[in-house]
Amino acid sequence: MRQDQIVSNVFPAAIRDRLYETEQKGSKEDGLFDPLGGGGGAGGAPLADLFLETTIVFADIVGFTAWSSAREPAEVFILLETIYGEFDKRAYRHNVFKVETVGDCYVAVAGLPEPDKDHAMAVCRFARDCVQTMTDTTLKLEVSLGPDTSELDLRVGIHR
């Protein structure tokens, strides 16, 4: 079912499974998942967990606003899609969970949805790899997106 694919792409496996468990207990007649219908947990409570040991990383592209204002939308898309695709690969490798991208800012966290005692080290290794990946990727994209593409840089913030 298409809905299952969408839910699987949006939520980590542990959350997805809990959503479906809750839905099966109080299933709707149409068989569709209702994310707003009574919360996600027992008694209509929100489906949420507390993770005390996590580290979050923000990676912002320095120079992006000026660079993108001189580009066609397709070129901006190519840049972001390529860089974020590479970051996604590194996130998977380091057991870091991508939360979202907000414009030119990549937000990720370690220590959830699965607890990880080495969450801070995982994020630091991930961030280090992202900085190197940014340099390598913008150098490669310089040929198709213009010489100032390699001048873009990555600013990383980490919070534990």
Side-chain angles (χ1 to χ4, degrees), residues 1-8 11 13-27 31-33 40 47:
M1 176 190 247
R2 181 164 164 72
Q3 179 178 336
D4 293 335
Q5 289 175 320
I6 293 169
V7 171
S8 292
F11 295 103
I15 300 298
R16 178 202 61 218
D17 294 345
R18 287 171 56 193
L19 285 170
Y20 281 126
E21 284 174 19
T22 302
E23 188 62 25
Q24 286 174 355
K25 290 177 185 172
S27 70
L32 296 176
F33 172 69
L47 181 63

Side-chain angles (χ1 to χ4, degrees), residues 36-115:
L36 302 177
L47 181 63
D49 295 316
L50 177 63
F51 291 88
L52 298 175
E53 296 295 323
T54 60
T55 303
I56 191 164
V57 59
F58 302 89
D60 179 60
I61 301 174
V62 177
F64 177 78
T65 302
W67 181 90
S68 64
S69 66
R71 297 295 187 287
E72 294 295 321
E75 294 172 313
V76 174
F77 177 81
I78 289 167
L79 176 83
L80 293 176
E81 185 73 11
T82 304
I83 290 170
Y84 292 159
E86 292 298 322
F87 288 2
D88 288 347
K89 291 175 193 174
R90 278 135 190 92
Y92 180 79
R93 185 179 311 139
H94 291 288
N95 199 28
V96 170
F97 179 73
K98 175 183 175 182
V99 176
E100 66 181 337
T101 54
V102 182
D104 64 318
C105 186
Y106 189 98
V107 183
V109 64
L112 69 89
E114 298 297 325

Side-chain angles (χ1 to χ4, degrees), residues 94-150:
H94 291 288
N95 199 28
V96 170
F97 179 73
K98 175 183 175 182
V99 176
E100 66 181 337
T101 54
V102 182
D104 64 318
C105 186
Y106 189 98
V107 183
V109 64
L112 69 89
E114 298 297 325
D116 179 359
K117 65 180 177 60
D118 295 324
H119 55 91
M121 286 304 297
V123 162
C124 289
R125 289 182 181 117
F126 168 73
R128 179 199 58 209
D129 284 0
C130 286
V131 169
Q132 185 60 54
T133 297
M134 180 72 179
T135 301
D136 296 344
T137 303
T138 55
L139 277 172
K140 290 175 188 173
L141 289 172
E142 191 173 48
V143 174
S144 60
L145 299 180
D148 56 343
T149 301
S150 64

